[in-house]
Amino acid sequence: MEEVQGVSQPDGKLQDGQGEQLKIKLTSDLVEMELKREKHKRSYGRVLKSTLGALIAVMAAVVLVVVLLLPVLQISGDSMTETLHDGDIVVAIKGSRFETGDVIAFYHGNDILLKRVIACAGQWVDMDTEGNVYVDNVMLDEPYVTDKALGDCNITLPCQVPEGRMFVLGDHRLVSIDSRNDRIGCVEISTTVGKVAFCVWPLSNIGLIN
């Protein structure tokens, strides 16, 4: 009887031709599986690199925004008590438009000071012996001041704020050195770091600064 290649014999064994075909098929399957694994690894590597690149770009953008637009400052001293305390960490917002009542940070020599804007260019400022503050002859309502005081004042009052400057006071009027003293005087707008808007540390003080 004529034999057909690749058909199993009665004893259950494969013919040589069929065995070779199975070997080739197994080898081919293994190669294909290995190629799929390598392809998957390359694809995963590209996705991982792309994701890491995107994360690095986002982090760099955040750092840039913080450095350029949102300076982080740590309070040193007691001139802004009770609003801010020594050691508090705050965030400022860059800008050059300020209003009465804003807390600002500004450069004074090599230091950065924090005070509250009382009056802007052209306005008249006066204080009485009780520590009440008047802007253009109107007494300010200052809920942020716990204890009013004339403090360390050696300038002539009333005084008019020069162009491009601001009259600033610390909230702790008794100890603060500010525009009442010619060591500080009226602050140039060009020296400002920004408006101090948020307290981020300690946790008990987190929130907007008013």
Side-chain angles (χ1 to χ4, degrees):
M1 182 173 68
E2 185 179 357
E3 293 182 352
V4 179
Q5 192 175 33
V7 178
S8 59
Q9 300 302 302
D11 59 3
K13 295 181 179 180
L14 295 175
Q15 292 185 359
D16 291 341
Q18 190 176 13
E20 289 299 323
Q21 288 179 356
L22 285 175
K23 288 179 182 179
I24 292 172
K25 187 176 185 307
L26 287 172
T27 302
S28 176
D29 289 344
L30 289 173
V31 170
E32 186 176 354
M33 289 174 62
E34 188 63 27
L35 287 173
K36 285 182 178 179
R37 279 198 295 268
E38 288 298 320
K39 184 178 180 181
H40 176 73
K41 285 167 62 177
R42 288 196 296 271
S43 176
Y44 178 77
R46 286 195 296 271
V47 171
L48 183 60
K49 288 179 181 178
S50 176
T51 302
L52 287 175
L55 287 174
I56 291 172
V58 170
M59 291 173 64
V62 169
V63 170
L64 188 63
V65 168
V66 168
V67 171
L68 296 180
L69 300 178
L70 300 171
V72 178
L73 309 168
Q74 185 169 28
I75 306 300
S76 177
D78 300 315
S79 71
M80 285 300 294
T81 308
E82 293 288 327
T83 303
L84 296 168
H85 300 82
D86 186 44
D88 286 0
I89 297 176
V90 298
V91 175
I93 299 175
K94 289 275 191 177
S96 58
R97 298 174 68 94
F98 307 105
E99 300 177 349
T100 297
D102 289 345
V103 177
I104 64 166
F106 60 94
Y107 290 101
H108 181 68
N110 295 324
D111 299 321
I112 295 179
L113 305 181
L114 272 71
K115 307 293 179 184
R116 191 178 295 273
V117 176
I118 298 301
C120 299
Q123 294 184 302
W124 285 87
V125 181
D126 198 3
M127 294 183 70
D128 61 26
T129 55
E130 301 297 320
N132 296 307
V133 180
Y134 300 82
V135 176
D136 293 336
N137 293 319
V138 177
M139 189 173 76
L140 292 185
D141 177 25
E142 299 188 284
Y144 40 79
V145 177
T146 303
D147 296 306
K148 293 183 177 182
L150 182 58
D152 191 356
C153 179
N154 67 357
I155 64 171
T156 300
L157 293 172
C159 71
Q160 187 176 32
V161 183
E163 190 66 31
R165 293 175 178 264
M166 297 174 291
F167 191 96
V168 299
L169 296 175
D171 287 355
H172 193 179
R173 298 286 160 81
L174 189 61
V175 303
S176 177
I177 305 298
D178 41 48
S179 294
R180 294 171 295 180
N181 192 289
D182 56 16
R183 288 165 54 190
I184 303 292
C186 290
V187 175
E188 292 186 25
I189 293 176
S190 61
T191 66
T192 56
V193 176
K195 176 182 176 180
V196 180
F198 307 97
C199 181
V200 296
W201 187 262
L203 296 177
S204 57
N205 288 350
I206 285 180
L208 293 170
I209 295 172
N210 298 313

